[in-house]
Structures are given as structure tokens and as C-alpha cells.
Amino acid sequence: MKKKEFHRLACAVIRKGDSILLAKADGWQNSFLPGGHVEIGEGAESALLRELQEELGVKGKVVRFLGDFEHSWQHEATTHFELTHVFEAVIDDMQIESQEPHLRFFWAKPEEFDQLDLQPYPLIEVLREKQLPASIWRSTYQTN
């Protein structure tokens, strides 16, 4: 029987002009929004602000909840399932410096998202919109 893992994440869309802040982890090809795992008993907004402080050393402020993304992927013998709560946020310092040695942060324009393998991939089409919708729901889960 294959191993399965579930992840609950809170991530931020942070803009600087027409660019959005993305991250890459050592050893992985894809990029992703800043943020991370929501701990048991922790709210998604609180988790996001904690992760921004831990990863970037900055204070953040949530502007609004954008929506949820379901995503699944295979890595070695494990199928991973995640639910990502996405927020629009601002940070107090736009000079980005990773506080975690395995993460690299950078600004990217929407036309670069495909080549950066932004995951979950439904984010690409949503973040390319000039005006983000009031509410988003996207899923990469297969339905039968």
C-alpha cells in the first residue's frame, strides 16, 4: 500500500509592482508562494504571519483571504495531498533575505511562472489576472 501524507498550508501573494514574491527549496524544481504548514490548533492567518517571520524575518499583514487550492503530487513512494489557504498580504520590508538556508526567495513576473514551475499550477492562471477574484477555489485532484 502506498504511503499518503496530508499538508495544510497558508501562503501569501505579496506584490512589488507587477512582480510576486516566490520561493524555491533546495533540491526541488518547482517554485511556490511564501508561507508554510499550519500547525494543529493554529489558525491559517496566524500560521502565515508566523511563517513570514520565520522564513523572511519580516512582519506581515493579511489584506484579505483569496481562496483555497487543493493539490496532489507523487514523490518517491508517497502521494502527497495539500490544502493551501491563499491570502493577499503586505510585508514591512521589501528587502528580502531568507532566514532559512534551504529556501531562496525572489520576485517574479507572471509571464515567468510557467518556466519557474509555480505550484500548485492553478495558481498560474489566477495570479496572471490583473484583478484577483473575490473568491477562488481550484483543485488538481482527479475526480471520478
Side-chain angles (χ1 to χ4, degrees):
M1 184 173 197
K2 286 187 176 182
K3 185 176 176 188
K4 295 180 181 179
E5 297 251 345
F6 178 75
H7 310 271
R8 181 178 174 221
L9 306 170
C11 294
V13 173
I14 300 170
R15 295 182 183 275
K16 179 178 170 183
D18 60 350
S19 295
I20 293 176
L21 186 63
L22 298 181
K24 276 198 173 213
D26 288 348
W28 291 85
Q29 295 300 312
N30 66 293
S31 62
F32 49 91
L33 294 172
H37 285 85
V38 178
E39 305 294 335
I40 293 174
E42 183 178 40
E45 186 174 330
S46 295
L48 175 60
L49 298 177
R50 173 185 53 75
E51 288 284 351
L52 292 175
Q53 182 67 49
E54 289 174 4
E55 293 178 348
L56 294 164
V58 298
K59 292 198 183 308
K61 179 181 176 193
V62 170
V63 175
R64 67 182 175 126
F65 174 71
L66 293 174
D68 287 326
F69 290 78
E70 291 177 322
H71 185 53
S72 65
W73 74 96
Q74 186 73 31
H75 181 67
E76 297 174 352
T78 303
T79 303
H80 295 264
F81 299 89
E82 72 180 29
L83 174 61
T84 303
H85 308 293
V86 179
F87 297 87
E88 187 172 9
V90 293
I91 53 177
D92 65 349
D93 187 356
M94 296 302 241
Q95 298 294 353
I96 301 305
E97 187 174 326
S98 180
Q99 303 298 300
E100 298 189 14
H102 69 284
L103 294 177
R104 180 175 61 89
F105 293 90
F106 56 95
W107 297 99
K109 296 184 183 309
E111 56 269 18
E112 300 172 293
F113 293 165
D114 286 320
Q115 71 189 35
L116 293 168
D117 191 19
L118 178 60
Q119 295 293 321
Y121 68 81
L123 274 169
I124 293 173
E125 87 178 47
V126 170
L127 294 178
R128 283 186 173 149
E129 296 178 23
K130 294 288 184 213
Q131 181 68 33
L132 293 174
S135 169
I136 305 166
W137 175 263
R138 300 288 191 280
S139 181
T140 64
Y141 290 180
Q142 298 296 319
T143 57
N144 296 331

